[in-house]
Amino acid sequence: MHRRRFVIGTAALGLGLAQADLSFAQRLAGNISVQLEDARSLAGLSGNDLRLGLLRNLRLVAETRGMMPAQLYAMRVVQGRVADAFVSRRFDVVPGLAGLPGANHFPGEMGFPGEMGFPGEMGFPGEMGLPGSDPMALAQQMAVRTLAEARQEQGFFFVVFTPEPDVAGQGLGLGTRRV
Amino acid sequence: MRLCIAGAGPAGMLAALIGQAAGWRILWQGDGRDSPQAAHLHLVRDVIGPTLTSIDADLGARIAAATDPAHDWRDAGGKTGRAPRLTREGLTAALAAACAARGLAALTTPLPAPGDGAELWIDATGGARALARRFEAATLGSLTLDDIGTGRLWRSEQWHDRMPSAPYTQVVPGRAYLESGPDGTRRTGLDGATEALAGPDKTPVVVSRMVAPPVRLARWKGAAGAPALILFGDARLQTPPDMGFGLLAVAQQAVILHEALTSRSDPERPLAGWAETVWVNAGMQLAFAC
């Protein structure tokens, strides 16, 4: 069985909807998703404990042709707005499953205020998007939409983009509660 | 002419009814269990009855009989109304009764091996695509899944009244009628854009979350000399549950299958054309929704 992924290009939005045409959809060359390995183990954590727990439990699943440079975008969202935005230095991702490259590629303690606690069951896949010309802006939009769609007033959002224009990033949303 | 069908849900029953009416000898295997999709909230659009009536008047009458013509609903804000309501269970029961009335019973034994003489095979096993995978394992062809978008989060809600296991009802007045799977199953709520209404004395409570499938189109390419395999229902095309299109999609495919089998033509081409169009349009819908 083969899987192929497509995204609808914005150029298609102005076209009529009646006729099927594969050119409406852009074939993806790859996809990197951020996943949470064991959400329950993070239940009740907040502040730096939550940060360390995420460092241990976040996983990158890369469906790419080979090794390529990438950057982690991390957002903290409060009441529908991005309160903190972080972008890591570049690191290499390889096809398959991998952990985060290290603490220096992850937001510091300041990004994890102590009053934001993780209930344990509020991890969910976020949107998938192509990086485009401004991946930071896109990551912020995805973060706000993902949390809003999940009806979370506050939380975190993580997504990894590569410089490759046809490699998509699928984010991870994390709802938090005030503790 | 033998037609082998796998799938216990609405798509499998429809394929069996259509095939038999077109003169095929039916070998239909359902394992007695509905697909996992049955445990999701379903939107049973009011056009489904007339659509199926156009190919089978008896079935249409059974669906009409299964429809509550005056269902009372009330939303969380206290708004009330009355509208016809057809549940997924009602639709499934009407299909099962139509099958039974025509002597169509699911096999209690496995289907014959692929290549064992049946002229046509229909995979109506939903997202499992069990028959296609069996064919693929026997190197009789290859399956390709084309996804637009990815799995997304959808709100899951359950409406309770005094009893936690009370039946769940969600109604869009005048147009469409939504119903759950059996009590206690996980239910996928439609998003806030749909005016989702609870039944009388019920209060919405968020109980769980799930990830909906992307818009997924399955393409089957048979190997040279392999028996013809048709993907039918969700096995051919899946759309996110908030689009409320799954059961209507089955009805639309049923019309195409009916026309092809009664005219002795190959159903693959018109079904593939229909699916491509819906796939792209549903993908556009996702893009607009972002």
Side-chain angles (χ1 to χ4, degrees):
Chain A
M1 186 183 67
H2 311 286
R3 285 182 193 271
R4 301 187 296 186
R5 280 184 169 160
F6 297 80
V7 290
I8 296 290
T10 51
L13 297 181
L15 302 175
L17 300 181
Q19 201 62 39
D21 184 343
L22 274 180
S23 64
F24 283 172
Q26 181 181 349
R27 173 88 181 270
L28 294 182
N31 177 57
I32 301 175
S33 62
V34 182
Q35 299 179 4
L36 193 56
E37 184 173 85
D38 183 7
R40 289 184 185 279
S41 72
L42 306 182
L45 298 184
S46 62
N48 197 44
D49 291 338
L50 177 58
R51 173 178 175 272
L52 296 174
L54 286 168
L55 265 170
R56 282 193 304 271
N57 280 278
L58 287 182
R59 295 286 179 270
L60 307 183
V61 181
E63 299 173 34
T64 55
R65 288 183 295 258
M67 187 173 73
M68 57 181 64
Q71 289 174 286
L72 172 74
Y73 294 77
M75 310 290 145
R76 183 166 67 89
V77 177
V78 178
Q79 292 184 332
R81 302 179 66 171
V82 175
D84 274 326
F86 166 88
V87 58
S88 74
R89 286 179 291 139
R90 289 195 175 188
F91 55 87
D92 289 331
V93 292
V94 294
L97 176 72
L100 288 175
N104 56 343
H105 292 281
F106 201 64
E109 292 183 40
M110 294 292 285
F112 291 86
E115 72 270 19
M116 292 180 78
F118 180 60
E121 293 185 343
M122 311 295 274
F124 40 82
E127 291 188 359
M128 183 169 68
L130 293 171
S133 59
D134 191 350
M136 172 56 91
L138 175 65
Q140 295 195 16
Q141 293 165 13
M142 291 167 74
V144 169
R145 282 199 298 258
T146 297
L147 273 291
E149 194 168 73
R151 314 228 168 136
Q152 300 299 307
E153 286 193 357
Q154 61 173 24
F156 296 97
F157 179 79
F158 305 95
V159 65
V160 169
F161 287 130
T162 80
E164 300 290 327
D166 51 359
V167 174
Q170 185 186 359
L172 170 78
L174 226 69
T176 55
R177 293 281 179 270
R178 190 166 288 279
V179 294
Chain B
M1 297 188 300
R2 284 197 304 174
L3 168 58
C4 287
I5 301 163
M13 289 189 279
L14 270 169
L17 287 165
I18 291 166
Q20 187 194 51
W24 291 77
R25 183 183 159 221
I26 304 298
L27 294 174
W28 168 39
Q29 188 195 41
D31 59 7
R33 294 175 300 176
D34 217 341
S35 71
Q37 281 79 4
H40 300 174
L41 184 77
H42 284 82
L43 186 149
V44 188
R45 292 178 186 267
D46 49 2
V47 73
I48 288 177
T51 300
L52 294 179
T53 302
S54 71
I55 61 172
D56 189 326
D58 171 65
L59 176 61
R62 292 177 189 277
I63 292 172
T67 302
D68 176 357
H71 174 70
D72 290 319
W73 52 263
R74 183 180 74 84
D75 73 2
K79 198 161 105 183
T80 60
R82 181 169 288 183
R85 171 172 171 253
L86 172 64
T87 66
R88 186 191 192 280
E89 287 83 353
L91 178 65
T92 304
L95 284 163
C99 287
R102 289 168 220 187
L104 281 167
L107 295 172
T108 54
T109 54
L111 287 173
D116 192 24
E119 286 78 10
L120 183 62
W121 296 71
I122 291 181
D123 186 340
T125 61
R129 299 179 182 88
L131 197 51
R133 288 169 194 270
R134 190 173 156 200
F135 269 53
E136 202 171 40
T139 64
L140 293 172
S142 62
L143 184 66
T144 300
L145 302 182
D146 284 346
D147 291 353
I148 298 178
T150 187
R152 299 176 69 189
L153 175 80
W154 298 107
R155 183 174 49 137
S156 286
E157 294 182 342
Q158 196 164 9
W159 267 251
H160 290 271
D161 59 8
R162 294 180 197 87
M163 297 172 62
S165 62
Y168 170 88
T169 305
Q170 201 170 25
V171 180
V172 178
R175 287 295 305 163
Y177 318 104
L178 318 176
E179 180 67 9
S180 72
D183 288 341
T185 55
R186 177 176 286 189
R187 287 135 187 176
T188 308
L190 302 191
D191 67 18
T194 305
E195 190 180 7
L197 304 170
D201 303 323
K202 294 180 174 63
T203 305
V205 180
V206 176
V207 291
S208 58
R209 302 177 183 285
M210 66 166 292
V211 177
V215 180
R216 175 168 290 168
L217 174 66
R219 304 173 195 271
W220 174 254
K221 186 176 181 187
L229 173 67
I230 301 295
L231 303 176
F232 191 63
D234 274 4
R236 182 173 288 270
L237 180 82
Q238 288 175 283
T239 51
D242 73 317
M243 291 183 183
F245 189 61
L247 287 169
L248 179 58
V250 172
Q252 291 183 352
Q253 290 180 60
V255 172
I256 295 169
L257 183 68
H258 169 77
E259 288 174 358
L261 293 187
T262 52
S263 64
R264 302 280 187 267
S265 60
D266 181 6
E268 178 55 35
R269 198 179 183 124
L271 281 172
W274 170 90
E276 291 264 357
T277 302
V278 174
W279 179 67
V280 170
N281 287 350
M284 298 290 246
Q285 211 169 314
L286 273 188
F288 276 119
C290 288

